[in-house]
Amino acid sequence: EGPVLPKLRTAADVDALNIDRMVREMAPIIETVRRVRAAMAREGFDRTTLIGFAGSPFTVACYMIEGGGSKDFAATRLMAYGEPLLFQRLMDVLVEATVIYVSAQIEAGAEVAMLFDSWAGVLSPSLFRAHVIAPTRRITAALKARFPDVPVIGFPRLAGPMLAEYAMATGVDAVGMDTSVDPVRAAAEVPAHVALQGNLDPMALLAGGAAMADEVRSILRAVRGRPAIFNLGHGIVPQTKPEQVAELVELIRAA
């Protein structure tokens, strides 16, 4: 379902957004990050990286404007076209909130930041540049100024041919590939210093066996010789058994 929120449609709705209240309400999340980091050190997992994450401004705006999930996020796109100044005001608030939120996670012990733009792919190239690339660039620059040693991963889901431009223009250290991305093409077009992350189909993991092994080998071949993080192309599905994940890990380690 995704988040379910009151629909935000007017200037008064944007004016009512309160950064200070957000900071107070995120306190339990930040405390959780702090406790997880402490437990990892205590249990001998201090070499395991703790990743902090946030929804990127455009995707968060989608849920705020629509009030929940949508097939095409038409109301959000209509506001971006029809009321560009109002939409930009909302994006400015969300950029500021995201920097505060991710910074707090890093201060609590997160060692990498990941920005999820799950609905980036519904935008035209011009809106993608304005409301996916530009906000990500601002957030990344702010985080790098505060935490120069903390890598930032961006995941513009369904970006398609805009993926390479996103990787070049945002300043992220790694870019996530969704399942639809051809990793061979991504490896050729994304700058060599930007790590590629992804992009096994979650259904291939669920199927397991030879089909999964073939997909794993294909992805590893495509990214060999450059920085890469093996991952799924989107979230793991609930039906997946732990044994299937273990099988995947062994395949990667044996490659």
Side-chain angles (χ1 to χ4, degrees):
E1 292 286 335
V4 177
L5 303 169
K7 292 182 180 180
L8 181 152
R9 296 292 173 87
T10 68
D13 293 336
V14 176
D15 291 340
L17 297 174
N18 187 304
I19 295 288
D20 292 335
R21 185 176 66 191
M22 181 212 76
V23 171
R24 292 193 298 271
E25 291 179 347
M26 75 183 186
I29 299 171
I30 303 308
E31 178 61 20
T32 299
V33 174
R34 189 175 292 110
R35 292 187 184 190
V36 169
R37 179 73 265 173
M40 289 170 66
R42 190 169 57 247
E43 299 296 328
F45 291 99
D46 45 338
R47 293 185 61 192
T48 300
T49 301
L50 181 61
I51 303 176
F53 76 93
S56 291
F58 175 71
T59 288
V60 174
C62 283
Y63 289 110
M64 296 175 78
I65 294 167
E66 306 287 343
S70 168
K71 291 182 178 178
D72 55 9
F73 295 97
T76 306
R77 290 155 50 217
L78 181 61
M79 182 186 289
Y81 281 119
E83 300 180 84
L85 296 180
L86 176 60
F87 193 80
Q88 187 59 55
R89 282 175 54 199
L90 173 59
M91 295 299 286
D92 289 342
V93 172
L94 293 175
V95 166
E96 180 184 0
T98 305
V99 171
I100 293 170
Y101 180 45
V102 176
S103 295
Q105 292 183 57
I106 294 170
E107 289 166 352
E111 299 160 289
V112 175
M114 186 164 181
L115 305 172
F116 287 80
D117 227 336
S118 299
W119 302 116
V122 303
L123 293 175
S124 68
S126 61
L127 289 187
F128 186 98
R129 293 184 179 103
H131 301 307
V132 174
I133 288 178
T136 303
R137 181 168 57 239
R138 291 169 60 191
I139 293 167
T140 301
L143 293 175
K144 292 290 185 182
R146 298 184 188 189
F147 313 100
D149 297 327
V150 174
V152 177
I153 304 170
F155 180 42
R157 181 170 171 263
L158 300 177
M162 300 296 291
L163 184 69
E165 184 175 339
Y166 175 99
M168 289 185 279
T170 58
V172 296
D173 299 284
V175 64
M177 303 180 292
D178 62 75
T179 297
S180 69
V181 172
D182 179 357
V184 174
R185 179 173 178 178
E189 296 180 353
V190 170
H193 70 277
V194 178
L196 296 175
Q197 175 176 291
N199 65 334
L200 182 70
D201 189 335
M203 292 301 108
L205 172 58
L206 183 61
M212 180 178 73
D214 288 343
E215 290 292 308
V216 168
R217 285 191 287 267
S218 176
I219 294 167
L220 291 176
R221 281 196 303 270
V223 300
R224 185 163 286 121
R226 61 173 298 143
I229 305 165
F230 196 97
N231 204 342
L232 302 184
H234 203 236
I236 192 168
V237 297
Q239 307 95 304
T240 308
K241 296 180 174 62
E243 295 80 8
Q244 292 168 301
V245 178
E247 179 187 359
L248 172 61
V249 172
E250 289 306 312
L251 275 172
I252 297 165
R253 287 177 173 169

